[in-house]
Amino acid sequence: MNLFGKVQEFLDPTPIEDKYTELLRRVHEEILKPLGFKKDGQNFRQIAPDGLGKIVNFRKDKWNQKDRRLGFLIYTGVYFEPEPAIKNRKFKEYDCQIRSTGDNPTPTDIYGKKGEEFSYNKQFWYIFKRTDMEAMYQDLKQSMQDVLNWFGHFESRQSTIDMILDGTVQQYSYTIVMHYGTAKMLAEMGYQAQVYEQIKDTRTTNSQAWAVIRLAEDLEKELGL
């Protein structure tokens, strides 16, 4: 932005919602679209030919204040279905078997008004009236690179399934990967023995996970153990 543009923006700031919309447009056009991600509102999905889906989800803070601030978080996920051809091509981040976040590398007050953001969750990104959007975008590029590096751990649908079955994938997810839905799906896909090995001690490690405990008991009988 040239000097005139900076002066004009200072005197008559672009509406915060428009700043956010433009930020997402740049993220898509300059970072994600070249990698095959398709934009759907605040969701960006990439579906590989082998049936491995990846998603970047921008989610607004429910406590946003119109014309004052707009906060958002970045969530990421890796998704697959029992069959290689994904039927739910509009899958959400919360549908994913593996989930993580894209963090803000810079303290919020770099972008906003001093003293206004001290009580905010630093994991959030915040846009204020006079936020330096170019500075925010540069930090967002850094965060997106971290996201892409995270996606890099999941090279294919089968390798991702293998990582779930041997337990190594949990280090990459902030939610429990081998929950009932995933365990049941993988067992029905023919991985009964591997699933059983992952969940057989659930009664001890998580005594409240009744559905998983029951599934482990059923698999133990099915496998004749």
Side-chain angles (χ1 to χ4, degrees):
M1 183 182 295
N2 58 31
L3 180 59
F4 176 76
K6 290 181 179 179
V7 172
Q8 187 176 37
E9 177 64 22
F10 181 80
L11 296 174
D12 185 20
T14 302
I16 291 175
E17 189 70 35
D18 291 350
K19 292 178 187 287
Y20 179 67
T21 299
E22 173 61 14
L23 189 68
L24 265 60
R25 185 199 67 78
R26 289 191 68 183
V27 168
H28 181 229
E29 292 292 328
E30 301 177 20
I31 302 173
L32 296 176
K33 186 176 181 180
L35 299 174
F37 284 83
K38 295 183 178 180
K39 186 176 186 300
D40 174 25
Q42 298 181 96
N43 294 301
F44 303 85
R45 298 182 188 86
Q46 178 199 71
I47 299 178
D50 69 349
L52 185 68
K54 298 177 181 179
I55 187 171
V56 179
N57 166 239
F58 285 73
R59 196 174 307 172
K60 293 180 186 177
D61 180 14
K62 65 180 179 179
W63 301 112
N64 285 334
Q65 295 182 4
K66 184 176 175 61
D67 299 326
R68 182 182 177 189
R69 69 168 185 263
L70 187 156
F72 63 93
L73 285 165
I74 301 170
Y75 291 94
T76 60
V78 174
Y79 175 81
F80 62 91
E81 296 178 355
E83 299 297 328
I86 290 181
K87 294 180 180 179
N88 179 18
R89 301 184 74 84
K90 294 286 189 179
F91 64 88
K92 305 294 187 181
E93 176 271 337
Y94 52 75
D95 295 320
C96 294
Q97 287 83 12
I98 308 159
R99 302 163 66 189
S100 188
T101 58
D103 294 329
N104 186 345
T106 300
T108 301
D109 59 12
I110 294 296
Y111 309 124
K113 180 179 178 182
K114 292 282 187 179
E116 188 178 15
E117 62 293 309
F118 67 92
S119 63
Y120 296 162
N121 184 336
K122 296 300 184 181
Q123 191 181 22
F124 276 83
W125 301 73
Y126 288 100
I127 300 175
F128 300 95
K129 274 189 176 182
R130 291 186 170 82
T131 290
D132 183 340
M133 294 306 295
E134 184 58 35
M136 176 174 279
Y137 179 69
Q138 293 305 318
D139 275 347
L140 198 54
K141 283 177 64 176
Q142 179 181 331
S143 182
M144 286 296 100
Q145 186 56 57
D146 292 339
V147 165
L148 296 176
N149 290 341
W150 181 79
F151 280 140
H153 294 293
F154 315 107
E155 297 179 353
S156 69
R157 177 177 180 274
Q158 188 58 54
S159 68
T160 300
I161 291 173
D162 292 341
M163 290 171 66
I164 295 176
L165 293 173
D166 67 19
T168 58
V169 78
Q170 187 58 59
Q171 63 186 304
Y172 302 116
S173 182
Y174 75 92
T175 58
I176 295 175
V177 176
M178 191 63 91
H179 56 70
Y180 175 74
T182 301
K184 186 172 185 298
M185 180 178 72
L186 289 171
E188 291 175 347
M189 289 168 62
Y191 298 104
Q192 296 95 328
Q194 296 96 317
V195 170
Y196 175 72
E197 284 301 314
Q198 289 296 316
I199 67 173
K200 65 181 182 180
D201 296 326
T202 302
R203 184 180 295 278
T204 300
T205 60
N206 186 3
S207 61
Q208 300 302 310
W210 295 111
V212 178
I213 292 170
R214 179 61 183 271
L215 178 60
E217 292 172 346
D218 290 344
L219 288 175
E220 187 172 37
K221 294 177 182 177
E222 183 178 338
L223 294 167
L225 300 174

